[in-house]
Amino acid sequence: MPTSRLSPARLPTAELHLHIEGTLEPELIFALAVRNGIALPYRDVSALRAQYEFTDLQSFLTLYYSNMAVLLTEQDFEDMTRAYLVRAGAAGVRHAEIFLDPQAHLLRGVALETCINGVTRGLADSEARYGLSTSLIAAFLRDRTAEEALDVLEQLIAMDAPIIGIGLDSAEVGHPPSKFTAVFRRAHAAGLRCVAHAGEEGGPDYIWEALDLLGVARIDHGIRAVEDEQLVNRLVAEQIPLTVCPLSNVRLRAVDTLADHPLPDMLARGLNISVHSDDPSYFGGYLDDNMAQLVSTFALDSTQLAKLAANSVRSAFLTPERCEELLAEVENWRTAQPGAKQVPGG
Ligand code: ADE
Ligand code: ZN
């Protein structure tokens, strides 16, 4: 079957690893800067885009946090969110669990209510307007203190923020999951879902800790799991979801090129992986772009793409009904592809 005839652009998928602040396109950054009277240190959009050459996670994070300066009002957060939803809908995303970094805004003097309410307003009519269901996850910055994270979590709980869970992101190495045990204990007690970035730049030990000390339901990234056979065995046995972000891994130099990415090996070993876009405006593409580049690099077939999409749906925090609905869409997509097998490959 010629892979070029596959249509990964409309593959129905759940986006489970997406930082809303990482969807700020340079054009929107400039538009918001003008609206808010902020002077940017770049002459124009192309001068800003020229900065998008990263050597590691920290080199990206520095620009990512600095560009957030243009987000000041609820309207700014709403506009950013709507711009993402339009693009995600076009990519075939049918459900998105979206990370927001509240501390990154609090530290700039933007109130918790401003960022939460703005993003929530953008998400409110997402299903009707953009064709995808959504939920929100508050991510804590691991290079800040656990006390600060706990304080923000208490504020989110007190204001009854519309979040389904918490995550852990930002600079990984030197900030192991064990630092945040009390934060995650509190989140579990509050009935929140828990996920954490681990094994992006940090080693397999960070994944063990996220599972054993934080009790997370999913690992974000997790690609360094392949270095630890015992860990791979556990992840396979328990089918723990790993939200893999191939273009992100290339742009942040976790792998040299996409052809060096462990994704095909991870699939072959039976790991429960799915594909996501992380910070798409910075890393050269949204979910459909990630899928298209995987298809052209690894010649993934429609059965493998459907497997990745079904994994994303099963790994999402969905009701059983919505999960079944989306799995049926994935199966319809698979059988509509040229040369589809009659029986799913599993
Ligand atoms: N925050 C936004 N994107 C991130 C990533 N890829 N890793 C850690 N923290 C992040
Ligand atoms: Zn991420």
Side-chain angles (χ1 to χ4, degrees):
M1 179 188 58
T3 50
S4 58
R5 296 189 55 209
L6 285 176
S7 53
R10 299 300 305 177
L11 175 65
T13 314
E15 172 60 277
L16 306 179
H17 186 158
L18 182 282
H19 303 264
I20 195 66
E21 299 91 341
T23 70
L24 262 183
E25 291 288 345
E27 290 78 6
L28 185 55
I29 292 173
F30 268 84
L32 295 178
V34 169
R35 183 158 89 191
N36 290 325
I38 293 170
L40 290 171
Y42 316 102
R43 192 179 59 256
D44 55 23
V45 163
S46 55
L48 171 54
R49 231 183 256 287
Q51 307 297 310
Y52 290 19
E53 289 288 337
F54 309 114
T55 50
D56 57 11
L57 175 58
Q58 187 57 58
S59 65
F60 153 71
L61 289 170
T62 302
L63 186 64
Y64 167 79
Y65 292 127
S66 135
N67 284 343
M68 288 182 201
V70 300
L71 294 167
L72 292 181
T73 67
E74 281 191 24
Q75 192 64 54
D76 300 336
F77 285 91
E78 179 178 345
D79 291 350
M80 169 178 68
T81 303
R82 288 189 185 280
Y84 167 67
L85 293 172
V86 170
R87 181 64 183 82
V93 174
R94 300 288 289 114
H95 175 73
E97 298 182 357
I98 294 173
F99 290 128
L100 172 72
D101 282 336
Q103 284 161 289
H105 309 301
L106 281 167
L107 289 165
R108 301 182 293 111
V110 174
L112 208 46
E113 286 75 11
T114 304
C115 62
I116 295 280
N117 293 347
V119 171
T120 303
R121 265 170 37 187
L123 299 180
D125 51 4
S126 164
E127 204 147 4
R129 275 179 86 152
Y130 312 109
L132 57 151
S133 50
T134 60
S135 49
L136 190 58
I137 297 177
F140 293 106
L141 307 186
R142 66 199 311 153
D143 45 352
R144 307 283 306 173
T145 66
E147 291 70 27
E148 182 179 295
L150 196 52
D151 176 48
V152 175
L153 176 58
E154 291 298 354
Q155 291 182 54
L156 289 165
I157 293 169
M159 70 189 272
D160 201 17
I163 56 172
I164 59 154
I166 69 162
L168 189 63
D169 63 4
S170 202
E172 187 173 352
V173 175
H175 304 283
S178 51
K179 181 175 159 186
F180 293 92
T181 309
V183 179
F184 278 72
R185 194 183 307 122
R186 176 71 181 105
H188 282 293
L192 292 164
R193 312 287 199 148
C194 293
V195 300
H197 284 51
E200 179 184 19
E201 284 191 342
D205 50 320
Y206 280 40
I207 302 175
W208 284 107
E209 280 195 8
L211 296 173
D212 292 335
L213 303 181
L214 306 186
V216 298
R218 298 194 295 248
I219 297 287
D220 294 311
H221 291 295
I223 57 166
R224 290 196 58 193
V226 295
E227 297 168 23
D228 181 338
E229 193 66 36
Q230 222 187 322
L231 177 59
V232 170
N233 291 341
R234 176 176 177 188
L235 294 168
V236 170
E238 298 179 24
Q239 283 296 288
I240 293 160
L242 306 179
T243 63
V244 175
C245 306
L247 291 182
S248 164
N249 296 147
V250 174
R251 297 300 279 264
L252 299 188
R253 317 288 303 141
V255 293
D256 287 337
T257 70
L258 193 54
D260 301 306
H261 200 283
L263 182 137
D265 182 42
M266 295 172 92
L267 257 186
R269 289 166 87 170
L271 286 161
N272 178 9
I273 60 168
S274 48
V275 170
H276 306 287
S277 56
D278 207 4
D279 302 282
S281 81
Y282 291 91
F283 300 150
Y286 288 75
L287 199 41
D288 49 348
D289 302 308
N290 273 271
M291 292 296 186
Q293 291 201 37
L294 287 174
V295 167
S296 60
T297 303
F298 296 115
L300 296 186
D301 62 23
S302 55
T303 303
Q304 289 169 305
L305 289 177
K307 173 77 176 158
L308 291 168
N311 284 351
S312 76
V313 170
R314 288 200 191 91
S315 303
F317 300 127
L318 291 170
T319 61
E321 296 73 28
R322 179 72 173 149
C323 184
E324 286 309 316
E325 190 177 297
L326 295 184
L327 286 175
E329 288 189 21
V330 174
E331 183 55 10
N332 286 341
W333 177 90
R334 191 190 67 79
T335 55
Q337 299 310 301
K341 295 187 195 119
Q342 291 306 304
V343 180

Short mmCIF file of all heavy atoms in Angstrom, two decimals, residues 53-90:
data_model
loop_
_atom_site.label_atom_id
_atom_site.label_comp_id
_atom_site.label_asym_id
_atom_site.label_seq_id
_atom_site.Cartn_x
_atom_site.Cartn_y
_atom_site.Cartn_z
N GLU A 53 15.55 28.00 17.36
CA GLU A 53 16.62 27.01 17.16
C GLU A 53 17.07 26.62 18.56
O GLU A 53 17.69 27.43 19.24
CB GLU A 53 17.80 27.63 16.41
CG GLU A 53 17.53 27.94 14.95
CD GLU A 53 17.44 26.68 14.11
OE1 GLU A 53 17.99 25.64 14.52
OE2 GLU A 53 16.79 26.75 13.05
N PHE A 54 16.74 25.40 18.98
CA PHE A 54 16.99 25.04 20.37
C PHE A 54 18.10 24.00 20.47
O PHE A 54 18.26 23.16 19.60
CB PHE A 54 15.70 24.52 21.01
CG PHE A 54 14.54 25.46 20.81
CD1 PHE A 54 13.44 25.09 20.03
CD2 PHE A 54 14.58 26.74 21.35
CE1 PHE A 54 12.39 25.98 19.82
CE2 PHE A 54 13.54 27.63 21.14
CZ PHE A 54 12.43 27.25 20.38
N THR A 55 18.83 24.09 21.61
CA THR A 55 19.92 23.13 21.82
C THR A 55 19.54 22.08 22.86
O THR A 55 20.13 21.02 22.95
CB THR A 55 21.18 23.86 22.32
OG1 THR A 55 20.81 24.71 23.43
CG2 THR A 55 21.76 24.72 21.21
N ASP A 56 18.53 22.41 23.67
CA ASP A 56 18.06 21.50 24.72
C ASP A 56 16.76 22.06 25.28
O ASP A 56 16.27 23.10 24.82
CB ASP A 56 19.12 21.34 25.83
CG ASP A 56 19.52 22.68 26.46
OD1 ASP A 56 18.85 23.70 26.20
OD2 ASP A 56 20.50 22.70 27.22
N LEU A 57 16.21 21.40 26.29
CA LEU A 57 14.93 21.83 26.87
C LEU A 57 15.02 23.25 27.42
O LEU A 57 14.14 24.08 27.18
CB LEU A 57 14.51 20.83 27.95
CG LEU A 57 13.26 21.16 28.77
CD1 LEU A 57 12.02 21.34 27.88
CD2 LEU A 57 13.00 20.07 29.82
N GLN A 58 16.10 23.55 28.16
CA GLN A 58 16.19 24.88 28.79
C GLN A 58 16.23 26.01 27.76
O GLN A 58 15.63 27.06 27.97
CB GLN A 58 17.42 24.95 29.72
CG GLN A 58 17.49 26.24 30.53
CD GLN A 58 16.24 26.48 31.39
OE1 GLN A 58 15.89 25.66 32.23
NE2 GLN A 58 15.53 27.60 31.16
N SER A 59 16.92 25.79 26.65
CA SER A 59 17.00 26.86 25.64
C SER A 59 15.62 27.17 25.08
O SER A 59 15.32 28.33 24.74
CB SER A 59 17.98 26.47 24.52
OG SER A 59 17.48 25.36 23.80
N PHE A 60 14.77 26.18 25.00
CA PHE A 60 13.38 26.41 24.59
C PHE A 60 12.59 27.10 25.70
O PHE A 60 11.86 28.08 25.45
CB PHE A 60 12.71 25.08 24.20
CG PHE A 60 11.23 25.08 24.40
CD1 PHE A 60 10.41 25.83 23.56
CD2 PHE A 60 10.65 24.37 25.44
CE1 PHE A 60 9.03 25.86 23.78
CE2 PHE A 60 9.28 24.40 25.66
CZ PHE A 60 8.47 25.14 24.82
N LEU A 61 12.73 26.59 26.93
CA LEU A 61 11.92 27.13 28.03
C LEU A 61 12.16 28.62 28.23
O LEU A 61 11.23 29.38 28.53
CB LEU A 61 12.21 26.36 29.33
CG LEU A 61 11.69 24.92 29.40
CD1 LEU A 61 12.24 24.21 30.63
CD2 LEU A 61 10.15 24.87 29.41
N THR A 62 13.39 29.05 28.03
CA THR A 62 13.71 30.47 28.21
C THR A 62 12.86 31.33 27.27
O THR A 62 12.25 32.33 27.69
CB THR A 62 15.22 30.70 27.96
OG1 THR A 62 15.94 29.88 28.88
CG2 THR A 62 15.61 32.15 28.17
N LEU A 63 12.76 30.92 26.01
CA LEU A 63 11.96 31.69 25.04
C LEU A 63 10.46 31.52 25.30
O LEU A 63 9.68 32.49 25.22
CB LEU A 63 12.31 31.22 23.62
CG LEU A 63 11.68 32.00 22.48
CD1 LEU A 63 12.18 33.44 22.46
CD2 LEU A 63 11.98 31.34 21.13
N TYR A 64 10.07 30.31 25.64
CA TYR A 64 8.65 29.99 25.93
C TYR A 64 8.12 30.87 27.06
O TYR A 64 7.07 31.49 26.93
CB TYR A 64 8.63 28.50 26.28
CG TYR A 64 7.40 27.88 26.91
CD1 TYR A 64 6.29 27.54 26.14
CD2 TYR A 64 7.39 27.55 28.27
CE1 TYR A 64 5.19 26.91 26.71
CE2 TYR A 64 6.32 26.91 28.85
CZ TYR A 64 5.21 26.59 28.06
OH TYR A 64 4.13 25.95 28.64
N TYR A 65 8.89 30.99 28.15
CA TYR A 65 8.44 31.84 29.27
C TYR A 65 8.49 33.31 28.88
O TYR A 65 7.61 34.08 29.24
CB TYR A 65 9.27 31.57 30.53
CG TYR A 65 9.05 30.19 31.12
CD1 TYR A 65 10.10 29.32 31.37
CD2 TYR A 65 7.75 29.74 31.41
CE1 TYR A 65 9.90 28.05 31.90
CE2 TYR A 65 7.54 28.46 31.93
CZ TYR A 65 8.61 27.63 32.17
OH TYR A 65 8.39 26.37 32.68
N SER A 66 9.52 33.69 28.14
CA SER A 66 9.65 35.11 27.79
C SER A 66 8.50 35.56 26.88
O SER A 66 7.95 36.66 27.05
CB SER A 66 11.04 35.32 27.21
OG SER A 66 11.01 36.10 26.07
N ASN A 67 8.08 34.72 25.94
CA ASN A 67 6.98 35.09 25.04
C ASN A 67 5.64 35.21 25.75
O ASN A 67 4.71 35.85 25.26
CB ASN A 67 6.87 34.09 23.89
CG ASN A 67 7.97 34.29 22.86
OD1 ASN A 67 8.60 35.34 22.81
ND2 ASN A 67 8.20 33.28 22.03
N MET A 68 5.52 34.60 26.92
CA MET A 68 4.25 34.68 27.67
C MET A 68 3.97 36.11 28.15
O MET A 68 2.86 36.39 28.60
CB MET A 68 4.28 33.75 28.88
CG MET A 68 4.20 32.29 28.53
SD MET A 68 4.19 31.33 30.07
CE MET A 68 4.73 29.74 29.45
N ALA A 69 4.97 36.99 28.07
CA ALA A 69 4.78 38.38 28.52
C ALA A 69 3.60 39.05 27.83
O ALA A 69 3.03 40.01 28.37
CB ALA A 69 6.06 39.17 28.26
N VAL A 70 3.21 38.57 26.67
CA VAL A 70 2.10 39.23 25.93
C VAL A 70 0.73 38.80 26.45
O VAL A 70 -0.29 39.38 26.04
CB VAL A 70 2.19 38.94 24.41
CG1 VAL A 70 3.50 39.47 23.85
CG2 VAL A 70 2.01 37.45 24.09
N LEU A 71 0.70 37.80 27.33
CA LEU A 71 -0.60 37.30 27.86
C LEU A 71 -0.92 38.04 29.15
O LEU A 71 -0.35 37.75 30.20
CB LEU A 71 -0.50 35.79 28.14
CG LEU A 71 -0.30 34.88 26.93
CD1 LEU A 71 0.11 33.48 27.39
CD2 LEU A 71 -1.59 34.79 26.10
N LEU A 72 -1.85 38.98 29.07
CA LEU A 72 -2.17 39.78 30.25
C LEU A 72 -3.62 39.70 30.68
O LEU A 72 -3.93 39.71 31.87
CB LEU A 72 -1.81 41.26 30.00
CG LEU A 72 -0.31 41.59 29.87
CD1 LEU A 72 -0.12 43.09 29.66
CD2 LEU A 72 0.46 41.13 31.10
N THR A 73 -4.53 39.62 29.73
CA THR A 73 -5.96 39.69 30.07
C THR A 73 -6.66 38.37 29.78
O THR A 73 -6.13 37.52 29.06
CB THR A 73 -6.65 40.79 29.23
OG1 THR A 73 -6.63 40.36 27.85
CG2 THR A 73 -5.94 42.12 29.36
N GLU A 74 -7.88 38.23 30.32
CA GLU A 74 -8.67 37.03 30.02
C GLU A 74 -8.83 36.87 28.51
O GLU A 74 -8.79 35.77 27.97
CB GLU A 74 -10.06 37.13 30.67
CG GLU A 74 -10.05 36.81 32.13
CD GLU A 74 -11.46 36.64 32.71
OE1 GLU A 74 -12.41 36.33 31.98
OE2 GLU A 74 -11.59 36.82 33.94
N GLN A 75 -9.03 38.02 27.84
CA GLN A 75 -9.23 37.97 26.38
C GLN A 75 -8.00 37.38 25.68
O GLN A 75 -8.14 36.61 24.73
CB GLN A 75 -9.51 39.39 25.86
CG GLN A 75 -10.00 39.40 24.41
CD GLN A 75 -11.35 38.69 24.25
OE1 GLN A 75 -12.29 39.03 24.95
NE2 GLN A 75 -11.41 37.70 23.37
N ASP A 76 -6.81 37.71 26.17
CA ASP A 76 -5.58 37.17 25.57
C ASP A 76 -5.56 35.64 25.69
O ASP A 76 -5.25 34.93 24.73
CB ASP A 76 -4.33 37.73 26.27
CG ASP A 76 -4.23 39.24 26.18
OD1 ASP A 76 -4.82 39.83 25.25
OD2 ASP A 76 -3.58 39.84 27.06
N PHE A 77 -5.89 35.15 26.89
CA PHE A 77 -5.88 33.70 27.11
C PHE A 77 -6.98 33.03 26.28
O PHE A 77 -6.79 31.94 25.73
CB PHE A 77 -6.05 33.38 28.60
CG PHE A 77 -4.80 33.63 29.41
CD1 PHE A 77 -4.57 34.86 30.00
CD2 PHE A 77 -3.83 32.64 29.55
CE1 PHE A 77 -3.41 35.10 30.72
CE2 PHE A 77 -2.67 32.87 30.28
CZ PHE A 77 -2.45 34.11 30.86
N GLU A 78 -8.12 33.70 26.17
CA GLU A 78 -9.21 33.14 25.36
C GLU A 78 -8.81 33.09 23.87
O GLU A 78 -9.03 32.08 23.20
CB GLU A 78 -10.49 33.98 25.53
CG GLU A 78 -11.63 33.44 24.69
CD GLU A 78 -12.94 34.20 24.87
OE1 GLU A 78 -13.06 34.98 25.84
OE2 GLU A 78 -13.84 34.01 24.03
N ASP A 79 -8.21 34.15 23.37
CA ASP A 79 -7.82 34.19 21.96
C ASP A 79 -6.79 33.11 21.64
O ASP A 79 -6.86 32.45 20.60
CB ASP A 79 -7.26 35.57 21.60
CG ASP A 79 -8.34 36.65 21.61
OD1 ASP A 79 -9.54 36.31 21.69
OD2 ASP A 79 -7.98 37.84 21.56
N MET A 80 -5.81 32.95 22.55
CA MET A 80 -4.80 31.90 22.35
C MET A 80 -5.46 30.53 22.28
O MET A 80 -5.15 29.70 21.43
CB MET A 80 -3.79 31.94 23.51
CG MET A 80 -2.85 30.75 23.58
SD MET A 80 -1.66 30.90 24.94
CE MET A 80 -2.72 30.77 26.39
N THR A 81 -6.40 30.30 23.20
CA THR A 81 -7.07 29.00 23.27
C THR A 81 -7.90 28.74 22.01
O THR A 81 -7.84 27.65 21.43
CB THR A 81 -7.96 28.96 24.53
OG1 THR A 81 -7.12 29.24 25.66
CG2 THR A 81 -8.63 27.61 24.71
N ARG A 82 -8.64 29.75 21.57
CA ARG A 82 -9.47 29.56 20.37
C ARG A 82 -8.61 29.32 19.13
O ARG A 82 -8.95 28.50 18.27
CB ARG A 82 -10.39 30.77 20.15
CG ARG A 82 -11.51 30.85 21.17
CD ARG A 82 -12.53 31.91 20.82
NE ARG A 82 -13.51 32.00 21.89
CZ ARG A 82 -14.54 31.16 22.06
NH1 ARG A 82 -14.74 30.17 21.21
NH2 ARG A 82 -15.37 31.31 23.07
N ALA A 83 -7.50 30.02 19.04
CA ALA A 83 -6.61 29.81 17.88
C ALA A 83 -6.13 28.36 17.85
O ALA A 83 -6.07 27.74 16.79
CB ALA A 83 -5.43 30.77 17.94
N TYR A 84 -5.81 27.83 19.03
CA TYR A 84 -5.38 26.42 19.07
C TYR A 84 -6.53 25.49 18.65
O TYR A 84 -6.32 24.56 17.86
CB TYR A 84 -4.88 26.01 20.47
CG TYR A 84 -4.77 24.50 20.54
CD1 TYR A 84 -3.83 23.83 19.76
CD2 TYR A 84 -5.66 23.75 21.30
CE1 TYR A 84 -3.77 22.45 19.73
CE2 TYR A 84 -5.60 22.36 21.29
CZ TYR A 84 -4.66 21.70 20.51
OH TYR A 84 -4.61 20.34 20.47
N LEU A 85 -7.71 25.73 19.16
CA LEU A 85 -8.83 24.82 18.89
C LEU A 85 -9.17 24.77 17.40
O LEU A 85 -9.49 23.70 16.86
CB LEU A 85 -10.06 25.22 19.71
CG LEU A 85 -9.89 25.04 21.23
CD1 LEU A 85 -11.07 25.64 21.98
CD2 LEU A 85 -9.71 23.56 21.60
N VAL A 86 -9.09 25.90 16.74
CA VAL A 86 -9.34 25.93 15.29
C VAL A 86 -8.33 25.01 14.59
O VAL A 86 -8.70 24.16 13.77
CB VAL A 86 -9.20 27.37 14.74
CG1 VAL A 86 -9.20 27.37 13.21
CG2 VAL A 86 -10.30 28.27 15.29
N ARG A 87 -7.07 25.16 14.94
CA ARG A 87 -6.01 24.37 14.29
C ARG A 87 -6.12 22.89 14.64
O ARG A 87 -5.93 22.01 13.80
CB ARG A 87 -4.64 24.94 14.71
CG ARG A 87 -3.45 24.24 14.09
CD ARG A 87 -3.44 24.40 12.58
NE ARG A 87 -2.33 23.65 11.97
CZ ARG A 87 -2.38 22.35 11.70
NH1 ARG A 87 -3.47 21.64 11.97
NH2 ARG A 87 -1.34 21.74 11.14
N ALA A 88 -6.46 22.61 15.92
CA ALA A 88 -6.57 21.21 16.36
C ALA A 88 -7.73 20.52 15.65
O ALA A 88 -7.62 19.37 15.22
CB ALA A 88 -6.75 21.15 17.87
N GLY A 89 -8.84 21.23 15.53
CA GLY A 89 -10.00 20.66 14.83
C GLY A 89 -9.63 20.27 13.41
O GLY A 89 -9.98 19.19 12.91
N ALA A 90 -8.88 21.14 12.73
CA ALA A 90 -8.45 20.87 11.35
C ALA A 90 -7.50 19.68 11.30
O ALA A 90 -7.41 18.99 10.28
CB ALA A 90 -7.78 22.11 10.77
#
